[in-house]
Amino acid sequence: MNRLMTPWGELVLTRFPEDPRDQLRAWDAADEYLLQHLAGSAESADGPADLSGTVAVLGDRWGALTTALARQGARPVQITDSFLARQATLRNLERNGVDAGAVTLLSTRDTPPDRIDVLLVRVPKSLALLEDQLHRLAPRLHAGSVVASAGKVTEIHTSTLKLFERIAGPTRTSLAVKKARLIFCSPDPAIPQSGSPWPHRYALPLGIGPASGLMVTNHAGIFCADRLDIGTRFFLRNLPQRRGPERVVDLGCGNGIVGTAAALANPQAEVMFVDESYQAVASAEATFRENAGPRAQAEFRVGDGLAGVPAESVDLVLNNPPFHSHQSTTDATAWRMFTGSRAALRRGGELWVIGNRHLGYHVKLRKLFGNCETVASDPKFVVLKAVKN
């Protein structure tokens, strides 16, 4: 838990899920810089921003911006691709005595407000996601809209500025403060709106098992949205060969090709696709529906791993865990995925994991399951199997 001093008072904030051992803050210098600008810092030549209209906040990572604005009296609309960010926002609102009804929570898949008077953007890691969302939001801006974006200096590139210029209007940047920078954009309603180029679709290569030659749909922000990454390719070549009725989970499903391959290999399986990204789950559903046929059964869930899945209800979990959280390298997400898998698996159920060899997932799996078998390996990747005894 950490405390952010805003121009309108102090906030107590945490990430989600809460972990008392986690030393990472739920805000950073870019959030702080943007809030100071809105309150009328030296960078804001016109004084405090007028927050009485529709204020949209895109990409608020842990709810710091949304909570601060709601505490100040604005009624912000938060737009996020992250289920975890939404849950963090709800808990931070409650923690700071703000009624959740003061905030409208939208995903990147939802229809944005018809008119946006203030658009605040936390620059995402994915330039594609920024492009897609600017295409969705630019038609809602008007000549008097205030558009301000914030990010660490390492997150803002020439390509970032060009996106704002091309889609929204003339753009300039601030000075760097505490390794953070602001982007200011003056909306130009005369810019032709061509619409988002997303989603992208491509055909998978041959020689990768049941997924060979399938068409994949990728909404903006999905990892390796324009090609099959080498880790997933190796996993697809080494998936378990199983038959009969069973419940399978594609955990951290991304575009859903691993779960779709499992469904094609075993038509009697019921597959659940799970990811904390709304864009990912939409991609997985599109990929599955196109390739598995109209009679195939599947469930698509946006959530925090396997939280909420009944204990001992799953036969097989397929997992390619991420090892980054925004700019931080961490194994916390992988550990939650592994512990959630063990709880959800039936006795004799299996967790199959693909990962870089250097991550040492076998140590964690042996500690948690009491066993771990190497199914396949190459110089870069390893496929591991742990059985719930």
Side-chain angles (χ1 to χ4, degrees), residues 19-100:
D19 183 349
R21 300 166 298 176
D22 188 356
Q23 299 301 309
L24 297 174
R25 299 186 307 188
W27 57 277
D28 63 18
D31 296 312
E32 190 174 28
Y33 197 179
L34 183 53
L35 291 172
Q36 290 170 351
H37 167 76
L38 294 174
S41 66
E43 282 287 334
S44 181
D46 298 325
D50 181 0
L51 302 175
S52 61
T54 300
V55 180
V57 183
L58 174 64
D60 193 2
R61 295 179 179 177
W62 304 106
L65 296 173
T66 304
T67 303
L69 291 166
R71 242 274 286 270
Q72 189 272 342
R75 300 182 67 84
V77 178
Q78 184 193 75
I79 303 171
T80 181
D81 181 44
S82 169
F83 175 85
L84 300 183
R86 175 178 288 191
Q87 295 306 114
T89 300
L90 288 169
R91 281 154 178 76
N92 283 326
L93 289 170
E94 180 181 11
R95 183 174 290 108
N96 290 279
V98 181
D99 183 359

Side-chain angles (χ1 to χ4, degrees), residues 106-128:
L106 300 179
S107 80
T108 48
R109 308 298 307 153
D110 294 325
T111 302
D114 291 334
R115 174 188 170 99
I116 298 175
D117 301 298
V118 178
L119 174 61
L120 308 175
V121 181
R122 271 307 311 256
V123 175
K125 182 178 180 181
S126 167
L127 195 66

Side-chain angles (χ1 to χ4, degrees), residues 60-209:
D60 193 2
R61 295 179 179 177
W62 304 106
L65 296 173
T66 304
T67 303
L69 291 166
R71 242 274 286 270
Q72 189 272 342
R75 300 182 67 84
V77 178
Q78 184 193 75
I79 303 171
T80 181
D81 181 44
S82 169
F83 175 85
L84 300 183
R86 175 178 288 191
Q87 295 306 114
T89 300
L90 288 169
R91 281 154 178 76
N92 283 326
L93 289 170
E94 180 181 11
R95 183 174 290 108
N96 290 279
V98 181
D99 183 359
V103 175
T104 300
L105 300 175
L106 300 179
S107 80
T108 48
R109 308 298 307 153
D110 294 325
T111 302
D114 291 334
R115 174 188 170 99
I116 298 175
D117 301 298
V118 178
L119 174 61
L120 308 175
V121 181
R122 271 307 311 256
V123 175
K125 182 178 180 181
S126 167
L127 195 66
L129 182 60
L130 178 61
E131 177 186 34
D132 177 66
Q133 291 303 301
L134 286 178
H135 275 295
R136 290 167 61 88
L137 298 175
R140 271 74 177 179
L141 301 173
H142 53 87
S145 296
V146 173
V147 179
S149 181
K152 304 301 285 292
V153 170
T154 54
E155 298 171 329
I156 298 175
H157 310 284
T158 302
S159 56
T160 313
L161 305 180
K162 287 182 177 179
L163 270 186
F164 279 95
E165 289 268 3
R166 176 168 59 85
I167 300 172
T171 300
R172 64 183 178 88
T173 61
S174 74
L175 299 173
V177 174
K178 296 181 181 178
K179 298 183 180 180
R181 195 182 296 279
L182 302 181
I183 300 171
F184 306 113
C185 180
S186 301
D188 181 1
I191 293 178
Q193 297 299 324
S194 58
S196 175
W198 295 90
H200 286 180
R201 299 173 71 250
Y202 64 84
L204 293 174
L206 301 178
I208 54 171

